[in-house]
Amino acid sequence: MIITGTNLFHIDNRVLQHIRNGKNYACEVYEARQTEIVLGRSAKAEDDVHLEKCEHDNVPVHRRAGGGGTVLLCRGMIVISVAGRTTLAYH
């Protein structure tokens, strides 16, 4: 089972909302409290994760809104989300 909408995955949204509200930069930090797997937006769980083993071992599998690959987080690991305002155009 893939879980969405947990605290970890609202971090990016909160950071971006700070920028939309006029801040020049914003940063959020999350410390993993358990082993968990995080899929990027377009990652395919069946390609990246042994879902049956995760379910057997009670390892939650999450999907974040942002891109990037699948990552394994363990207790004590830190996730940092940073965003900043820029005047440069993205190409």
Side-chain angles (χ1 to χ4, degrees):
M1 172 171 57
I2 298 174
I3 304 166
T4 58
T6 62
N7 288 338
L8 170 59
F9 313 105
H10 291 303
I11 288 175
D12 291 339
N13 292 338
R14 286 194 311 259
V15 167
L16 292 173
Q17 190 60 47
H18 289 304
I19 302 303
R20 288 185 198 106
N21 290 340
K23 288 193 172 191
N24 288 324
Y25 64 89
C27 175
E28 292 270 347
V29 178
Y30 168 81
E31 180 180 353
R33 303 214 187 294
Q34 63 182 354
T35 300
E36 53 193 317
I37 294 176
V38 183
L39 298 164
R41 179 179 56 234
S42 60
K44 294 180 181 174
E46 59 274 9
D47 292 341
D48 290 356
V49 180
H50 294 283
L51 291 171
E52 300 82 20
K53 291 182 179 183
C54 289
E55 187 172 341
H56 177 268
D57 294 338
N58 295 316
V59 174
V61 179
H62 305 280
R63 181 173 303 280
R64 66 178 176 277
T70 300
V71 297
L72 170 67
L73 300 177
C74 298
R75 184 180 175 146
M77 293 178 86
I78 302 293
V79 176
I80 302 171
S81 181
V82 178
R85 189 175 298 282
T86 181
T87 57
L88 302 175
Y90 176 76
H91 296 286

